[in-house]
Amino acid sequence: MGPDVPLLNDYKQEFFLKRFPQTVLGGPRFKLGYCAPPYIYVNQIILFLIPWVLGGVGTLLYQLGIMKDYYTAALSGGLMFVTALILQMTNLYAKQKTVTVERMQIQNTLTDEDEFEFSSCIGSETVKFIIPGKKYIINTVFHSLLAGVLCGLGTWYLLPNRITLLYSNIGGTVMIFVFGWLTICIGEYSLIINTATETATFQALDTYEITALMRPFYIFVFIAVDLAHRLLVMFLISAGTAIASYFIPSTLGVILFMTGFGFILSLNLSEIGFAFKHTMVSHLASRKSKNMHRGLRIQFGWREFIFYLTVLTFALIEASLLHQFAGFSSFSKGSPQAIASYILIILLIIMWILREIQRVYLFGVFRNPYYPKDVRTVTVFMEKQRRLMKVGVVRRILLTLVSPFAMIAFLALDRSLQNLHSVSVCLGFTRIFRMVWQNTENALMDIVVVSVAQMFVFNPDLWWNRNLDTGIRLLLVGILRDRLLQFVSKLQFAIAILLTSWTEKKQRRKSTATLITLNVVFFPILLTFIAISALLSSPLLPLFTLPVFLIGFPRPVRSWPGPVGTTACVCSDTVYYQQMVPSLAVALQSALAAGSLGLSLPGSHYLCRFQDRLMWILVLEKGFTYCGVNIKGLELQETSCHAAEAHRVDEIFEMAFEHQEHTKILSPNHHFGHILTPCTVLPVRLYSDARNVLSGIIDSHENLKHLKDDFIKVLVWMLVQYCYKKSKTWESPGSANKSKKGSFSENQRKGAVERSSAPKEEDSFSVDTIEDWTDDSDIFDLEPSGRMKDRKEPGPLGDIPKVHLSIPGSVETRGQGIPQEMSPEDKLYRAVVLGLPAVDKGKQQEVLPRVEFSCSYSELLSIPEEWRTAPVPPSKVNEMRQRFPEEWYHFILSQLDFFHLKEKPYNLPEALMKDKALKDLYIHGVLSCCFGLFGLDNTVPAPSHVFRAYTGGIPWSVGLDWLTSKPELFQLALKAFRYTFKLMVDKASLGPIENFKELVNYLEEYENDWYIGLVSDLEWQQAVLQEKPYLFSLGHDPNMGIYTGRVLTLQELLVQVGKLNDEAVRGQWANLSWELLYATNDDEERYSIQAHPVLLRNLTVQAADPPLGYPVYSSELLHLPLF
């Protein structure tokens, strides 16, 4: 898409132009988009001005001296309350008059597009259009009461005499009076008439009608300033002082109270509560409850409890002793508090150096000379990382144990705590005593700044020393530090948008030059907007991500409503993130504790990259020795925009981590100014994805010629292993009574008949066995049809009657005399009348003669009888006897140990090898599978047939129909063929197999360490979650006509991590929320979702919570312990 793609299409532009005036005026709809009678607009104007009229009555009575100000406010408020109730009752009457039974629905933004037909000035349709009414009766009363209070306070606040006394200017009085009442009218209309759609939209649906309260709330805030100044300030100060003085009369008690509760509130109380609940359940509940909770990860145990108790005890002892015996001297260069300040300054410098030295870039600008260079493998990285790991351990000790106790010493020695009669002391010191543990690094910075200021400002008459105690100083410094960091981040974000709107050619629009000029000319106003946004801690909103900046409304740290991790666009790629997140969480735990990810605060964003995977990490909360994060996974199927931004991310990480062998010391960051700054790499256990073209392997005549022989070998091994594992649950023949020697075979044969009869109760010509025939079906299609996936073992729905289908163009007859049970051949011949020979419909299943084994233990390895009933001619049986790998068969039997048998002859393997009856069983079983997969001809299979057989999409045949009627045997045959194909690929890549032992090793490795199948299989996802070491899949590209192999290998690999500009993410998410929820601009090709290599606009939109974003995975809140 070009840079001049419309910001809003024509339809959305018209919709926006109708909605925006409604938002500005608080609800009146003066632009409808269709012709409406004049009285619609007149009625809205009258209702809009009613609060001003009612307030004007009270104002006139006050100005004439008839009533006092508070009586005037009560009169106007009462009149407004009654009027609001009358308006709401009018709406209810109009609804009951037109509709007998109707339930109010949630206000839908699409109703803005509805066209109404009006009959009269006060008709029911007119009333319902102008006054939509409330959803709940309680809101009808509450909003009316609130409207009365608002009108009364507004009347009292805007009395002309009071405004004149305040400003002593008639012109100013008139301006404030007029615009003040316009503001109140806007708030009242939104509250009781029609609520406007707000630009500050947080929830997609306003279920409880909260939006109507927003504008009145803002008005109450401004009015309450005067009220609070008159009525509340003295009361709060007196109450706070009384409480602090009465309940904690001792300064030592205050110190212990603030120290103890500051520490306790900084702990991960949710995890502690969960651990306590788990402990109580495990002691009181049944064993079933124990097993149910055993799988949950408990991060709080006795070790953590003892550690926290010890730290709390030492903190209380330190604070009490220092305050009691050394807290009476004022601050001077040689005082105890000054000595503690020197220690804190040294700690801050050391911790800052230890934190920066672990990152790849110093300050995000210069390459760290101590960071390992050219790190591409885990082994090399860990070898080079040892020194930095020791640095991380030292920093962790200083941060967790040394710094908090040093800060408590500084606070306990402060002279401000000698006086209790001040609310400011309670507020300031309560906050900092918690900050010491909750946010140690920032608290250390604040205390150092205050202590340095005290060292240079010893004048007791200065306002800093005279009016402010240490707690309030720390509070002001903390607010200033936080807002200053936000201001710098927002300024970087704004400059990045300004510069890239011109330097990035694909972002350069026709209006770009004009917008840049306006921003340069009005740069002081832009700085003011940024400063106000930082002061309010609200995002800086770039409209449509253009250099047009607005102040967004404050949002929580997670930016989106609802619990964390409950929504995601789950797809087949989700499983890869589910597998890697536990290992990634462990790696993050170490990195956060060591400080290699920089200063991580609630609201920090990180981006991780490995091959085609992108992980978005959001820090949600942080406390003493713990951090709560949310990890999201972005889509793997890259679009053009996704690929462009992901390519830039790869460039940044490669420049930082992989191309440093020839760079100079302190080389600059070539991508400085990008919202992504590389931090470090993390060793994570995950799957690497390798895709290879199999041209020259699958189409090699030499490889295909040996495919059938290898398939027979693999199938013999698989059948023997299947029967051997099954025999471990059977009783040894030697321990049974000789009179019951034949009972085993009888029971086995009986079970076989029962198992074989089940599939024949269903119509073989059904959805489970034959593809749906359509006019556009291609019987030569190479893509897997998914038919074989439905042919697996029947699940709980196996008893549901099937829908009988017939081939188009065939003749199908149905009569009442047709028997219920028929063989598959009968059903096929009956469905397809193509001149096939007649078959006796009443024939019964052929009972095979009993097999006489020469060795009684052969029964343990005997395959089920129904597996050797394939309709193959005797000549093919003789041919299979000649092709049967007898030496391989003997070698497999010799490898069986039969440890599960209590009594067995010493020459049991030899006896099994000599049993010809057992050998004939396996010959029949192998022939049956070959007949189903390859047919009866001996030609070399084509690559297309190999692909079809691998995917289970072989064209229908009588042999395949027989094989699929034995689901267990079909799955074994399909598994054996996939093993054979993987064996063919390995032989072509690694060389031929030299002996039987090596072949067995290959097959055992496939069985234990591999999943060989299709990416679309459910078992593939299960294998990923079970962390199978290797996975293999075969694919086909019909456009290029090539076959591809995909191999996933589970190993510990390096994941690159970078830190994102927090304010850039918040600003883009604020614009996304405004654009989709207010402007309803959901065009998939809109400008604000196009690729932006510097802002990572497309990736940022993806990482938003659904329905606005579309991450394929989102974890729950992960609590990471940082011991």
Side-chain angles (χ1 to χ4, degrees):
M1 298 292 291
D4 287 311
V5 60
L7 302 177
L8 287 170
N9 57 38
D10 295 338
Y11 171 74
K12 295 298 182 181
Q13 287 179 12
E14 182 181 358
F15 176 79
F16 177 77
L17 292 177
K18 289 189 294 184
R19 169 171 283 189
F20 186 70
Q22 182 184 354
T23 301
V24 173
L25 296 175
R29 288 180 277 188
F30 296 135
K31 184 176 177 58
L32 301 179
Y34 56 90
C35 184
Y39 54 77
I40 295 297
Y41 306 101
V42 174
N43 287 347
Q44 292 184 84
I45 294 174
I46 293 174
L47 292 175
F48 181 82
L49 296 176
I50 278 180
W52 198 344
V53 172
L54 299 179
V57 173
T59 302
L60 181 62
L61 294 176
Y62 172 76
Q63 293 296 118
L64 296 176
I66 299 175
M67 300 179 67
K68 294 184 178 180
D69 54 357
Y70 44 86
Y71 289 127
T72 298
L75 175 63
S76 299
L79 292 175
M80 189 68 233
F81 173 66
V82 173
T83 305
L85 281 179
I86 292 174
L87 292 174
Q88 296 300 318
M89 294 303 107
T90 304
N91 172 265
L92 292 177
Y93 174 77
K95 290 178 182 178
Q96 293 177 356
K97 183 178 179 181
T98 55
V99 181
T100 55
V101 179
E102 180 181 6
R103 180 177 178 83
M104 281 295 295
Q105 301 296 327
I106 298 174
Q107 178 70 21
N108 189 350
T109 57
L110 296 179
T111 57
D112 294 345
E113 298 298 291
D114 294 342
E115 293 190 13
F116 290 79
E117 295 183 0
F118 307 103
S119 57
S120 64
C121 180
I122 56 174
S124 58
E125 290 296 331
T126 304
V127 173
K128 289 192 297 182
F129 172 78
I130 297 177
I131 311 173
K134 302 298 179 182
K135 182 180 177 182
Y136 304 105
I137 296 298
I138 187 173
N139 281 344
T140 300
V141 178
F142 175 67
H143 289 185
S144 300
L145 180 62
L146 197 63
V149 174
L150 180 63
C151 185
L153 291 178
T155 302
W156 175 77
Y157 188 77
L158 293 174
L159 291 174
N161 285 353
R162 298 182 67 253
I163 301 175
T164 304
L165 291 175
L166 184 63
Y167 294 100
S168 301
N169 187 293
I170 300 298
T173 301
V174 173
M175 293 288 293
I176 293 176
F177 182 80
V178 172
F179 285 102
W181 270 110
L182 282 177
T183 303
I184 293 177
C185 289
I186 289 173
E188 295 279 14
Y189 197 98
S190 179
L191 184 62
I192 62 174
I193 308 297
N194 183 28
T195 303
T197 304
E198 300 289 352
T199 57
T201 303
F202 186 59
Q203 300 276 4
L205 295 176
D206 186 18
T207 306
Y208 302 105
E209 299 175 315
I210 303 297
T211 307
L213 303 177
M214 292 181 60
R215 299 182 186 228
F217 171 76
Y218 298 144
I219 297 173
F220 275 126
V221 169
F222 282 94
I223 296 177
V225 172
D226 192 43
L227 290 176
H229 179 71
R230 294 188 176 191
L231 305 176
L232 300 179
V233 173
M234 295 305 297
F235 172 78
L236 291 177
I237 293 176
S238 302
T241 304
I243 292 173
S245 302
Y246 181 79
F247 289 101
I248 311 178
S250 169
T251 58
L252 180 60
V254 172
I255 291 290
L256 295 177
F257 177 81
M258 290 190 293
T259 303
F261 272 89
F263 175 79
I264 292 172
L265 293 177
S266 67
L267 299 179
N268 192 357
L269 297 179
S270 62
E271 283 295 303
I272 295 175
F274 173 78
F276 176 76
K277 180 179 178 181
H278 168 78
T279 304
M280 296 300 296
V281 168
S282 63
H283 282 290
L284 301 178
S286 62
R287 186 174 184 85
K288 180 179 179 180
S289 297
K290 293 182 183 179
N291 295 334
M292 179 178 64
H293 290 84
R294 189 169 296 168
L296 297 175
R297 180 177 178 181
I298 304 299
Q299 298 177 349
F300 187 84
W302 286 108
R303 185 189 67 174
E304 290 80 5
F305 177 75
I306 294 174
F307 172 76
Y308 290 148
L309 184 61
T310 304
V311 171
L312 177 60
T313 303
F314 277 100
L316 293 175
I317 293 174
E318 178 197 19
S320 59
L321 292 178
L322 289 176
H323 177 76
Q324 191 72 16
F325 298 105
F328 298 98
S329 60
S330 60
F331 189 88
S332 61
K333 291 185 178 181
S335 64
Q337 192 176 21
I339 296 175
S341 300
Y342 302 145
I343 297 174
L344 291 176
I345 294 172
I346 296 173
L347 279 174
L348 178 64
I349 296 173
I350 293 175
M351 288 180 57
W352 175 78
I353 294 174
L354 295 182
R355 185 185 69 198
E356 289 296 323
I357 206 174
Q358 296 182 75
R359 304 175 65 188
V360 66
Y361 286 117
L362 299 175
F363 311 107
V365 181
F366 300 106
R367 213 325 176 132
N368 182 4
Y370 298 100
Y371 195 86
K373 297 181 180 179
D374 194 22
V375 288
R376 304 190 184 188
T377 62
V378 176
T379 306
V380 175
F381 174 75
M382 298 304 293
E383 182 68 25
K384 296 181 178 181
Q385 185 76 355
R386 286 183 179 178
R387 290 180 299 175
L388 294 183
M389 291 177 65
K390 295 178 182 178
V391 169
V393 172
V394 173
R395 181 184 178 278
R396 189 184 312 178
I397 295 174
L398 293 177
L399 180 66
T400 307
L401 297 177
V402 179
S403 297
F405 286 100
M407 287 187 283
I408 287 177
F410 175 87
L411 297 174
L413 294 171
D414 192 83
R415 192 168 184 176
S416 301
L417 290 175
Q418 300 299 324
N419 301 320
L420 289 177
H421 304 287
S422 174
V423 175
S424 62
V425 171
C426 297
L427 293 177
F429 277 95
T430 300
R431 171 191 168 274
I432 192 60
F433 268 105
R434 181 176 179 179
M435 279 274 293
V436 163
W437 306 100
Q438 184 88 25
N439 198 343
T440 306
E441 292 184 78
N442 284 341
L444 182 60
M445 171 67 74
D446 297 346
I447 293 178
V448 166
V449 171
V450 170
S451 60
V452 169
Q454 281 184 307
M455 292 178 186
F456 290 99
V457 182
F458 287 104
N459 186 2
D461 297 329
L462 196 67
W463 69 273
W464 177 265
N465 292 328
R466 184 180 68 253
N467 298 329
L468 302 178
D469 58 79
T470 304
I472 296 299
R473 294 174 200 162
L474 290 170
L475 176 62
L476 295 177
V477 169
I479 295 174
L480 182 63
R481 168 191 46 77
D482 180 73
R483 298 307 188 261
L484 183 61
L485 291 177
Q486 287 193 36
F487 178 83
V488 173
S489 297
K490 294 176 193 294
L491 183 61
Q492 290 177 347
F493 176 46
I495 292 176
I497 292 181
L498 278 171
L499 295 179
T500 56
S501 64
W502 184 261
T503 57
E504 296 286 337
K505 292 183 178 180
K506 292 186 177 181
Q507 309 300 325
R508 195 180 301 169
R509 299 173 58 89
K510 295 179 181 178
S511 59
T512 298
T514 304
L515 293 176
I516 292 177
T517 303
L518 291 175
N519 277 276
V520 172
V521 171
F522 296 100
F523 191 71
I525 298 178
L526 174 61
L527 289 179
T528 303
F529 273 35
I530 296 175
I532 295 174
S533 177
L535 185 64
L536 298 176
S537 191
S538 61
L540 182 68
L541 192 154
L543 198 63
F544 298 105
T545 64
L546 291 172
V548 178
F549 301 100
L550 303 174
I551 301 174
F553 68 98
R555 303 175 74 91
V557 171
R558 64 178 184 272
S559 293
W560 306 110
V564 176
T566 56
T567 56
C569 302
V570 179
C571 64
S572 59
D573 297 333
T574 304
V575 67
Y576 302 109
Y577 292 108
Q578 289 177 334
Q579 178 274 324
M580 69 176 296
V581 160
S583 179
L584 178 61
V586 174
L588 282 174
Q589 174 182 334
S590 302
L592 289 169
S596 56
L597 297 183
L599 182 61
S600 58
L601 300 172
S604 298
H605 295 262
Y606 296 91
L607 186 66
C608 302
R609 177 69 167 169
F610 176 78
Q611 290 186 349
D612 57 351
R613 270 153 279 183
L614 281 163
M615 291 71 69
W616 193 286
I617 302 172
L618 170 61
V619 179
L620 294 171
E621 59 183 68
K622 196 172 183 184
F624 183 63
T625 67
Y626 88 95
C627 182
V629 300
N630 167 241
I631 301 177
K632 296 177 181 177
L634 306 188
E635 62 180 357
L636 303 184
Q637 303 296 329
E638 296 183 350
T639 60
S640 58
C641 297
H642 180 111
E645 295 184 356
H647 180 68
R648 178 62 64 88
V649 172
D650 291 335
E651 285 183 359
I652 294 173
F653 282 134
E654 288 174 5
M655 184 67 68
F657 300 113
E658 298 180 7
H659 299 311
Q660 292 295 333
E661 59 270 18
H662 302 297
T663 54
K664 301 179 181 179
I665 298 178
L666 295 177
S667 59
N669 178 8
H670 296 285
H671 293 92
F672 179 75
H674 197 278
I675 72 166
L676 177 66
T677 303
C679 293
T680 186
V681 292
L682 301 177
V684 180
R685 185 174 174 82
L686 44 67
Y687 282 100
S688 63
D689 195 347
R691 305 176 189 234
N692 303 309
V693 177
L694 298 181
S695 300
I697 297 179
I698 191 173
D699 52 1
S700 172
H701 181 77
E702 188 68 23
N703 293 335
L704 295 175
K705 187 171 64 174
H706 296 92
L707 183 66
K708 280 188 178 181
D709 293 335
D710 289 341
F711 172 70
I712 293 174
K713 291 180 181 179
V714 174
L715 184 58
V716 170
W717 178 83
M718 196 161 288
L719 289 174
V720 171
Q721 293 297 319
Y722 170 81
C723 296
Y724 177 70
K725 292 178 181 178
K726 203 170 184 181
S727 69
K728 292 182 179 181
T729 61
W730 294 346
E731 185 182 5
S732 173
S735 62
N737 194 329
K738 293 182 179 180
S739 63
K740 300 180 181 179
K741 184 175 182 180
S743 62
F744 180 84
S745 299
E746 293 297 331
N747 292 336
Q748 180 186 1
R749 187 156 49 246
K750 181 179 179 182
V753 172
E754 292 176 356
R755 287 192 299 271
S756 64
S757 63
K760 298 193 177 186
E761 294 175 0
E762 300 176 357
D763 192 343
S764 65
F765 202 80
S766 64
V767 179
D768 284 347
T769 56
I770 298 297
E771 293 181 277
D772 294 348
W773 290 74
T774 59
D775 294 336
D776 55 348
S777 294
D778 185 2
I779 62 174
F780 301 105
D781 187 14
L782 291 178
E783 292 298 320
S785 61
R787 178 184 72 226
M788 296 308 170
K789 293 173 68 174
D790 297 333
R791 288 183 177 174
K792 296 179 180 179
E793 296 182 16
L797 302 178
D799 295 330
I800 296 178
K802 305 297 180 182
V803 179
H804 298 272
L805 303 174
S806 62
I807 300 176
S810 66
V811 180
E812 183 171 359
T813 60
R814 297 190 180 273
Q816 297 181 357
I818 297 175
Q820 293 286 334
E821 297 183 5
M822 292 184 295
S823 65
E825 292 85 357
D826 294 337
K827 297 176 182 179
L828 175 65
Y829 299 156
R830 176 174 168 269
V832 186
V833 183
L834 297 175
L836 296 177
V839 180
D840 182 10
K841 296 182 180 180
K843 75 172 185 178
Q844 301 296 324
Q845 181 182 1
E846 180 183 358
V847 179
L848 298 177
R850 177 182 172 185
V851 179
E852 296 291 341
F853 296 110
S854 61
C855 176
S856 61
Y857 286 87
S858 297
E859 297 173 351
L860 298 175
L861 298 180
S862 176
I863 65 176
E865 286 186 1
E866 69 270 16
W867 288 10
R868 48 191 176 90
T869 59
V872 293
S875 60
K876 291 299 179 180
V877 178
N878 295 331
E879 183 180 339
M880 180 55 70
R881 283 197 178 97
Q882 296 176 3
R883 296 181 58 186
F884 189 75
E886 189 169 348
E887 294 181 0
W888 168 249
Y889 170 71
H890 291 166
F891 179 79
I892 295 174
L893 293 179
S894 66
Q895 300 297 308
L896 304 178
D897 47 37
F898 291 99
F899 285 151
H900 58 284
L901 298 181
K902 298 180 181 178
E903 300 175 2
K904 63 179 179 179
Y906 69 94
N907 60 344
L908 178 57
E910 290 78 4
L912 294 174
M913 294 177 196
K914 295 177 181 179
D915 194 333
K916 294 184 179 180
L918 181 62
K919 174 184 171 182
D920 287 340
L921 288 182
Y922 281 94
I923 290 175
H924 279 277
V926 171
L927 179 60
S928 302
C929 296
C930 291
F931 174 55
L933 295 180
F934 298 105
L936 296 177
D937 56 344
N938 294 325
T939 58
V940 176
S944 60
H945 185 88
V946 173
F947 178 76
R948 285 176 177 274
Y950 185 94
T951 58
I954 308 173
W956 183 90
S957 66
V958 175
L960 180 63
D961 189 66
W962 176 89
L963 183 59
T964 53
S965 66
K966 315 293 185 293
E968 199 169 7
L969 178 61
F970 174 73
Q971 291 302 319
L972 283 176
L974 184 60
K975 186 177 180 182
F977 185 85
R978 291 174 173 178
Y979 282 14
T980 305
F981 182 84
K982 182 64 174 66
L983 184 64
M984 181 184 74
V985 175
D986 288 346
K987 287 166 61 179
S989 305
L990 306 176
I993 297 175
E994 298 180 355
N995 50 51
F996 289 155
K997 183 64 177 176
E998 186 178 356
L999 178 56
V1000 169
N1001 291 338
Y1002 268 105
L1003 297 179
E1004 288 180 349
E1005 183 183 356
Y1006 294 161
E1007 185 71 20
N1008 298 325
D1009 299 337
W1010 286 78
Y1011 175 77
I1012 302 174
L1014 296 174
V1015 177
S1016 57
D1017 290 342
L1018 178 62
E1019 291 81 359
W1020 178 280
Q1021 299 185 14
Q1022 294 174 350
V1024 171
L1025 294 178
Q1026 294 169 3
E1027 295 195 338
K1028 277 277 187 180
Y1030 307 97
L1031 291 89
F1032 175 83
S1033 175
L1034 176 64
H1036 177 254
D1037 188 348
N1039 297 323
M1040 302 182 64
I1042 58 174
Y1043 297 94
T1044 58
R1046 182 181 182 186
V1047 178
L1048 299 185
T1049 305
L1050 182 65
Q1051 52 187 325
E1052 194 171 39
L1053 297 168
L1054 295 177
V1055 174
Q1056 300 156 334
V1057 185
K1059 188 172 184 180
L1060 295 162
N1061 186 323
D1062 308 335
E1063 295 303 325
V1065 175
R1066 293 181 66 203
Q1068 293 183 74
W1069 280 357
N1071 172 72
L1072 176 67
S1073 178
W1074 176 87
E1075 193 172 351
L1076 266 68
L1077 297 181
Y1078 180 77
T1080 65
N1081 186 25
D1082 55 353
D1083 188 357
E1084 295 182 355
E1085 298 297 333
R1086 62 185 183 273
Y1087 172 78
S1088 61
I1089 203 175
Q1090 300 299 314
H1092 196 304
V1094 176
L1095 298 180
L1096 302 181
R1097 187 165 54 193
N1098 187 268
L1099 298 180
T1100 305
V1101 169
Q1102 286 187 49
D1105 281 1
L1108 305 186
Y1110 45 97
V1112 300
Y1113 172 79
S1114 181
S1115 71
E1116 297 178 349
L1117 177 62
L1118 302 177
H1119 296 275
L1120 307 180
L1122 304 181
F1123 283 107

